Amino acid sequence: MTAGLMGIALISLGMVLTPGPNMIYLISRSLTQGRRSGLISLGGVFLGFTTYLTATCLGLTAVFAYVPAAYTALKLAGAAYLLWLAWNAVRPGGVSAFEPRELPVERPGKLFSMGLLTCLLNPKIAILYLSLLPQFIDPAMGHLLLQSLALGSVQVFVGTLVNGLIVISAGSLAAFLARRPVWLRVQRYLTGTILGAFAVSMATDRSKALVSA
């Protein structure tokens, strides 16, 4: 189980550092309206994480109890998705999430709801849970639902922590990276390499489909 927790933590770190809707919105809101607004928006993102996690874990328990072969399909889908993320991280012409964007000033309630909506409309989170959690579940340990919740909670923790640090340091990071574009390329290529390696490992894994226990 420890290896599974470390594995999901590394993948979650690579994915949260890949610019996506959540990161772009949080950084843009922080740069436009300040850290407090960014943290309120992050609260909505956190609720979106936990909503997806709960729904996915309940579904995974049922799916793998009755359709163990779904493991293979999800594994291949997860590998393909990680490859797509890896390509988007290294492809030419990528835009940095730290480029300032103009946003209207919003009230706290609107900030929270927009953070939640941004997360819920981000398919990366749903696909992450559906395709990656099964890779790290040990059927011999039983308690599939508890394992899924534990593994998913690691993603929630990593995603919330890293996004929180980004919100707090958004202004300083934006200024730093604007003066050092090479660091943006290093981040992109490092992220792409990590995600690509996990994708290859996942696609070539020959473990049997997960069964209920």
PDB file of all heavy atoms in Angstrom, residues 79-102:
ATOM      1  N   ALA A  79      -3.226   5.222 -19.687  1.00  0.00           N
ATOM      2  CA  ALA A  79      -1.932   5.376 -20.345  1.00  0.00           C
ATOM      3  C   ALA A  79      -2.024   6.365 -21.499  1.00  0.00           C
ATOM      4  O   ALA A  79      -1.147   7.227 -21.677  1.00  0.00           O
ATOM      5  CB  ALA A  79      -1.434   4.020 -20.841  1.00  0.00           C
ATOM      6  N   ALA A  80      -3.091   6.246 -22.293  1.00  0.00           N
ATOM      7  CA  ALA A  80      -3.275   7.154 -23.422  1.00  0.00           C
ATOM      8  C   ALA A  80      -3.447   8.593 -22.942  1.00  0.00           C
ATOM      9  O   ALA A  80      -2.902   9.535 -23.531  1.00  0.00           O
ATOM     10  CB  ALA A  80      -4.487   6.722 -24.252  1.00  0.00           C
ATOM     11  N   TYR A  81      -4.180   8.754 -21.842  1.00  0.00           N
ATOM     12  CA  TYR A  81      -4.410  10.095 -21.321  1.00  0.00           C
ATOM     13  C   TYR A  81      -3.118  10.708 -20.779  1.00  0.00           C
ATOM     14  O   TYR A  81      -2.840  11.896 -20.997  1.00  0.00           O
ATOM     15  CB  TYR A  81      -5.463  10.046 -20.229  1.00  0.00           C
ATOM     16  CG  TYR A  81      -5.814  11.409 -19.671  1.00  0.00           C
ATOM     17  CD1 TYR A  81      -6.419  12.364 -20.472  1.00  0.00           C
ATOM     18  CD2 TYR A  81      -5.529  11.735 -18.346  1.00  0.00           C
ATOM     19  CE1 TYR A  81      -6.739  13.619 -19.970  1.00  0.00           C
ATOM     20  CE2 TYR A  81      -5.855  12.984 -17.839  1.00  0.00           C
ATOM     21  CZ  TYR A  81      -6.463  13.913 -18.656  1.00  0.00           C
ATOM     22  OH  TYR A  81      -6.771  15.150 -18.161  1.00  0.00           O
ATOM     23  N   LEU A  82      -2.308   9.909 -20.103  1.00  0.00           N
ATOM     24  CA  LEU A  82      -1.034  10.416 -19.600  1.00  0.00           C
ATOM     25  C   LEU A  82      -0.107  10.812 -20.750  1.00  0.00           C
ATOM     26  O   LEU A  82       0.619  11.807 -20.666  1.00  0.00           O
ATOM     27  CB  LEU A  82      -0.358   9.364 -18.721  1.00  0.00           C
ATOM     28  CG  LEU A  82      -0.971   9.130 -17.344  1.00  0.00           C
ATOM     29  CD1 LEU A  82      -0.170   8.087 -16.582  1.00  0.00           C
ATOM     30  CD2 LEU A  82      -1.059  10.415 -16.543  1.00  0.00           C
ATOM     31  N   LEU A  83      -0.127  10.028 -21.830  1.00  0.00           N
ATOM     32  CA  LEU A  83       0.678  10.386 -23.007  1.00  0.00           C
ATOM     33  C   LEU A  83       0.209  11.706 -23.596  1.00  0.00           C
ATOM     34  O   LEU A  83       1.027  12.532 -24.036  1.00  0.00           O
ATOM     35  CB  LEU A  83       0.600   9.273 -24.051  1.00  0.00           C
ATOM     36  CG  LEU A  83       1.443   8.026 -23.783  1.00  0.00           C
ATOM     37  CD1 LEU A  83       1.169   6.972 -24.853  1.00  0.00           C
ATOM     38  CD2 LEU A  83       2.933   8.366 -23.751  1.00  0.00           C
ATOM     39  N   TRP A  84      -1.097  11.895 -23.625  1.00  0.00           N
ATOM     40  CA  TRP A  84      -1.643  13.156 -24.148  1.00  0.00           C
ATOM     41  C   TRP A  84      -1.202  14.337 -23.279  1.00  0.00           C
ATOM     42  O   TRP A  84      -0.811  15.394 -23.797  1.00  0.00           O
ATOM     43  CB  TRP A  84      -3.166  13.061 -24.197  1.00  0.00           C
ATOM     44  CG  TRP A  84      -3.820  14.287 -24.746  1.00  0.00           C
ATOM     45  CD1 TRP A  84      -3.938  14.667 -26.056  1.00  0.00           C
ATOM     46  CD2 TRP A  84      -4.461  15.329 -23.986  1.00  0.00           C
ATOM     47  NE1 TRP A  84      -4.600  15.858 -26.153  1.00  0.00           N
ATOM     48  CE2 TRP A  84      -4.940  16.293 -24.911  1.00  0.00           C
ATOM     49  CE3 TRP A  84      -4.683  15.518 -22.622  1.00  0.00           C
ATOM     50  CZ2 TRP A  84      -5.622  17.434 -24.511  1.00  0.00           C
ATOM     51  CZ3 TRP A  84      -5.365  16.665 -22.221  1.00  0.00           C
ATOM     52  CH2 TRP A  84      -5.828  17.598 -23.163  1.00  0.00           C
ATOM     53  N   LEU A  85      -1.239  14.155 -21.954  1.00  0.00           N
ATOM     54  CA  LEU A  85      -0.777  15.208 -21.053  1.00  0.00           C
ATOM     55  C   LEU A  85       0.717  15.473 -21.232  1.00  0.00           C
ATOM     56  O   LEU A  85       1.167  16.620 -21.187  1.00  0.00           O
ATOM     57  CB  LEU A  85      -1.062  14.815 -19.603  1.00  0.00           C
ATOM     58  CG  LEU A  85      -2.522  14.846 -19.137  1.00  0.00           C
ATOM     59  CD1 LEU A  85      -2.613  14.366 -17.700  1.00  0.00           C
ATOM     60  CD2 LEU A  85      -3.115  16.241 -19.264  1.00  0.00           C
ATOM     61  N   ALA A  86       1.481  14.378 -21.425  1.00  0.00           N
ATOM     62  CA  ALA A  86       2.920  14.532 -21.627  1.00  0.00           C
ATOM     63  C   ALA A  86       3.205  15.349 -22.884  1.00  0.00           C
ATOM     64  O   ALA A  86       4.074  16.225 -22.900  1.00  0.00           O
ATOM     65  CB  ALA A  86       3.580  13.159 -21.721  1.00  0.00           C
ATOM     66  N   TRP A  87       2.461  15.050 -23.954  1.00  0.00           N
ATOM     67  CA  TRP A  87       2.647  15.793 -25.205  1.00  0.00           C
ATOM     68  C   TRP A  87       2.301  17.264 -25.019  1.00  0.00           C
ATOM     69  O   TRP A  87       3.017  18.147 -25.492  1.00  0.00           O
ATOM     70  CB  TRP A  87       1.801  15.181 -26.316  1.00  0.00           C
ATOM     71  CG  TRP A  87       1.608  16.094 -27.502  1.00  0.00           C
ATOM     72  CD1 TRP A  87       0.457  16.647 -27.936  1.00  0.00           C
ATOM     73  CD2 TRP A  87       2.635  16.571 -28.395  1.00  0.00           C
ATOM     74  NE1 TRP A  87       0.680  17.442 -29.029  1.00  0.00           N
ATOM     75  CE2 TRP A  87       2.007  17.423 -29.332  1.00  0.00           C
ATOM     76  CE3 TRP A  87       4.014  16.370 -28.474  1.00  0.00           C
ATOM     77  CZ2 TRP A  87       2.703  18.057 -30.345  1.00  0.00           C
ATOM     78  CZ3 TRP A  87       4.722  17.017 -29.489  1.00  0.00           C
ATOM     79  CH2 TRP A  87       4.071  17.842 -30.416  1.00  0.00           C
ATOM     80  N   ASN A  88       1.201  17.543 -24.337  1.00  0.00           N
ATOM     81  CA  ASN A  88       0.803  18.927 -24.118  1.00  0.00           C
ATOM     82  C   ASN A  88       1.797  19.678 -23.252  1.00  0.00           C
ATOM     83  O   ASN A  88       1.899  20.905 -23.343  1.00  0.00           O
ATOM     84  CB  ASN A  88      -0.593  18.974 -23.476  1.00  0.00           C
ATOM     85  CG  ASN A  88      -1.704  18.861 -24.496  1.00  0.00           C
ATOM     86  OD1 ASN A  88      -2.106  19.834 -25.126  1.00  0.00           O
ATOM     87  ND2 ASN A  88      -2.197  17.651 -24.685  1.00  0.00           N
ATOM     88  N   ALA A  89       2.540  18.941 -22.440  1.00  0.00           N
ATOM     89  CA  ALA A  89       3.537  19.591 -21.597  1.00  0.00           C
ATOM     90  C   ALA A  89       4.768  20.019 -22.386  1.00  0.00           C
ATOM     91  O   ALA A  89       5.419  21.006 -22.041  1.00  0.00           O
ATOM     92  CB  ALA A  89       3.942  18.660 -20.454  1.00  0.00           C
ATOM     93  N   VAL A  90       5.096  19.276 -23.443  1.00  0.00           N
ATOM     94  CA  VAL A  90       6.346  19.545 -24.162  1.00  0.00           C
ATOM     95  C   VAL A  90       6.131  20.106 -25.564  1.00  0.00           C
ATOM     96  O   VAL A  90       7.099  20.505 -26.222  1.00  0.00           O
ATOM     97  CB  VAL A  90       7.203  18.259 -24.267  1.00  0.00           C
ATOM     98  CG1 VAL A  90       7.529  17.718 -22.885  1.00  0.00           C
ATOM     99  CG2 VAL A  90       6.495  17.183 -25.088  1.00  0.00           C
ATOM    100  N   ARG A  91       4.902  20.151 -26.038  1.00  0.00           N
ATOM    101  CA  ARG A  91       4.677  20.589 -27.416  1.00  0.00           C
ATOM    102  C   ARG A  91       5.079  22.045 -27.596  1.00  0.00           C
ATOM    103  O   ARG A  91       4.982  22.861 -26.665  1.00  0.00           O
ATOM    104  CB  ARG A  91       3.208  20.407 -27.795  1.00  0.00           C
ATOM    105  CG  ARG A  91       2.251  21.315 -27.048  1.00  0.00           C
ATOM    106  CD  ARG A  91       0.820  21.052 -27.478  1.00  0.00           C
ATOM    107  NE  ARG A  91      -0.123  21.846 -26.703  1.00  0.00           N
ATOM    108  CZ  ARG A  91      -0.442  23.109 -26.993  1.00  0.00           C
ATOM    109  NH1 ARG A  91       0.119  23.708 -28.051  1.00  0.00           N
ATOM    110  NH2 ARG A  91      -1.303  23.767 -26.250  1.00  0.00           N
ATOM    111  N   PRO A  92       5.524  22.408 -28.801  1.00  0.00           N
ATOM    112  CA  PRO A  92       5.899  23.798 -29.076  1.00  0.00           C
ATOM    113  C   PRO A  92       4.672  24.710 -28.981  1.00  0.00           C
ATOM    114  O   PRO A  92       3.546  24.302 -29.241  1.00  0.00           O
ATOM    115  CB  PRO A  92       6.429  23.745 -30.510  1.00  0.00           C
ATOM    116  CG  PRO A  92       6.765  22.304 -30.752  1.00  0.00           C
ATOM    117  CD  PRO A  92       5.791  21.520 -29.935  1.00  0.00           C
ATOM    118  N   GLY A  93       4.907  25.930 -28.598  1.00  0.00           N
ATOM    119  CA  GLY A  93       3.829  26.913 -28.586  1.00  0.00           C
ATOM    120  C   GLY A  93       2.968  26.888 -27.344  1.00  0.00           C
ATOM    121  O   GLY A  93       1.914  27.536 -27.306  1.00  0.00           O
ATOM    122  N   GLY A  94       3.361  26.143 -26.312  1.00  0.00           N
ATOM    123  CA  GLY A  94       2.570  26.111 -25.085  1.00  0.00           C
ATOM    124  C   GLY A  94       2.590  27.468 -24.391  1.00  0.00           C
ATOM    125  O   GLY A  94       3.565  28.209 -24.465  1.00  0.00           O
ATOM    126  N   VAL A  95       1.485  27.794 -23.727  1.00  0.00           N
ATOM    127  CA  VAL A  95       1.356  29.070 -23.032  1.00  0.00           C
ATOM    128  C   VAL A  95       1.471  28.850 -21.531  1.00  0.00           C
ATOM    129  O   VAL A  95       0.879  27.921 -20.988  1.00  0.00           O
ATOM    130  CB  VAL A  95      -0.002  29.736 -23.356  1.00  0.00           C
ATOM    131  CG1 VAL A  95      -0.145  31.051 -22.591  1.00  0.00           C
ATOM    132  CG2 VAL A  95      -0.115  29.979 -24.851  1.00  0.00           C
ATOM    133  N   SER A  96       2.231  29.677 -20.875  1.00  0.00           N
ATOM    134  CA  SER A  96       2.416  29.543 -19.437  1.00  0.00           C
ATOM    135  C   SER A  96       1.174  29.992 -18.678  1.00  0.00           C
ATOM    136  O   SER A  96       0.524  30.980 -19.034  1.00  0.00           O
ATOM    137  CB  SER A  96       3.614  30.380 -18.974  1.00  0.00           C
ATOM    138  OG  SER A  96       3.677  30.416 -17.566  1.00  0.00           O
ATOM    139  N   ALA A  97       0.863  29.244 -17.618  1.00  0.00           N
ATOM    140  CA  ALA A  97      -0.270  29.632 -16.767  1.00  0.00           C
ATOM    141  C   ALA A  97       0.025  30.914 -15.997  1.00  0.00           C
ATOM    142  O   ALA A  97      -0.896  31.540 -15.460  1.00  0.00           O
ATOM    143  CB  ALA A  97      -0.575  28.509 -15.785  1.00  0.00           C
ATOM    144  N   PHE A  98       1.302  31.322 -15.948  1.00  0.00           N
ATOM    145  CA  PHE A  98       1.673  32.486 -15.163  1.00  0.00           C
ATOM    146  C   PHE A  98       1.605  33.791 -15.955  1.00  0.00           C
ATOM    147  O   PHE A  98       2.017  34.832 -15.466  1.00  0.00           O
ATOM    148  CB  PHE A  98       3.086  32.309 -14.587  1.00  0.00           C
ATOM    149  CG  PHE A  98       3.144  31.280 -13.501  1.00  0.00           C
ATOM    150  CD1 PHE A  98       3.430  29.961 -13.792  1.00  0.00           C
ATOM    151  CD2 PHE A  98       2.874  31.621 -12.187  1.00  0.00           C
ATOM    152  CE1 PHE A  98       3.466  28.996 -12.801  1.00  0.00           C
ATOM    153  CE2 PHE A  98       2.903  30.666 -11.185  1.00  0.00           C
ATOM    154  CZ  PHE A  98       3.202  29.353 -11.494  1.00  0.00           C
ATOM    155  N   GLU A  99       1.100  33.744 -17.180  1.00  0.00           N
ATOM    156  CA  GLU A  99       0.886  34.970 -17.928  1.00  0.00           C
ATOM    157  C   GLU A  99      -0.366  35.653 -17.390  1.00  0.00           C
ATOM    158  O   GLU A  99      -1.429  35.045 -17.334  1.00  0.00           O
ATOM    159  CB  GLU A  99       0.729  34.662 -19.423  1.00  0.00           C
ATOM    160  CG  GLU A  99       2.007  34.158 -20.069  1.00  0.00           C
ATOM    161  CD  GLU A  99       1.846  33.960 -21.562  1.00  0.00           C
ATOM    162  OE1 GLU A  99       0.782  34.352 -22.089  1.00  0.00           O
ATOM    163  OE2 GLU A  99       2.764  33.428 -22.194  1.00  0.00           O
ATOM    164  N   PRO A 100      -0.269  36.906 -16.979  1.00  0.00           N
ATOM    165  CA  PRO A 100      -1.422  37.595 -16.381  1.00  0.00           C
ATOM    166  C   PRO A 100      -2.620  37.631 -17.319  1.00  0.00           C
ATOM    167  O   PRO A 100      -2.480  37.803 -18.524  1.00  0.00           O
ATOM    168  CB  PRO A 100      -0.879  39.011 -16.114  1.00  0.00           C
ATOM    169  CG  PRO A 100       0.601  38.836 -16.030  1.00  0.00           C
ATOM    170  CD  PRO A 100       0.938  37.740 -17.005  1.00  0.00           C
ATOM    171  N   ARG A 101      -3.827  37.454 -16.747  1.00  0.00           N
ATOM    172  CA  ARG A 101      -5.072  37.531 -17.494  1.00  0.00           C
ATOM    173  C   ARG A 101      -6.025  38.465 -16.757  1.00  0.00           C
ATOM    174  O   ARG A 101      -6.086  38.466 -15.547  1.00  0.00           O
ATOM    175  CB  ARG A 101      -5.712  36.137 -17.641  1.00  0.00           C
ATOM    176  CG  ARG A 101      -4.902  35.199 -18.506  1.00  0.00           C
ATOM    177  CD  ARG A 101      -5.385  33.768 -18.347  1.00  0.00           C
ATOM    178  NE  ARG A 101      -4.698  32.856 -19.239  1.00  0.00           N
ATOM    179  CZ  ARG A 101      -3.466  32.398 -19.038  1.00  0.00           C
ATOM    180  NH1 ARG A 101      -2.797  32.767 -17.971  1.00  0.00           N
ATOM    181  NH2 ARG A 101      -2.907  31.583 -19.900  1.00  0.00           N
ATOM    182  N   GLU A 102      -6.773  39.257 -17.520  1.00  0.00           N
ATOM    183  CA  GLU A 102      -7.714  40.192 -16.917  1.00  0.00           C
ATOM    184  C   GLU A 102      -8.996  39.457 -16.528  1.00  0.00           C
ATOM    185  O   GLU A 102      -9.605  38.777 -17.342  1.00  0.00           O
ATOM    186  CB  GLU A 102      -8.028  41.322 -17.902  1.00  0.00           C
ATOM    187  CG  GLU A 102      -6.845  42.251 -18.167  1.00  0.00           C
ATOM    188  CD  GLU A 102      -6.420  42.999 -16.918  1.00  0.00           C
ATOM    189  OE1 GLU A 102      -7.294  43.283 -16.067  1.00  0.00           O
ATOM    190  OE2 GLU A 102      -5.223  43.293 -16.783  1.00  0.00           O
TER     191      GLU A 102
END
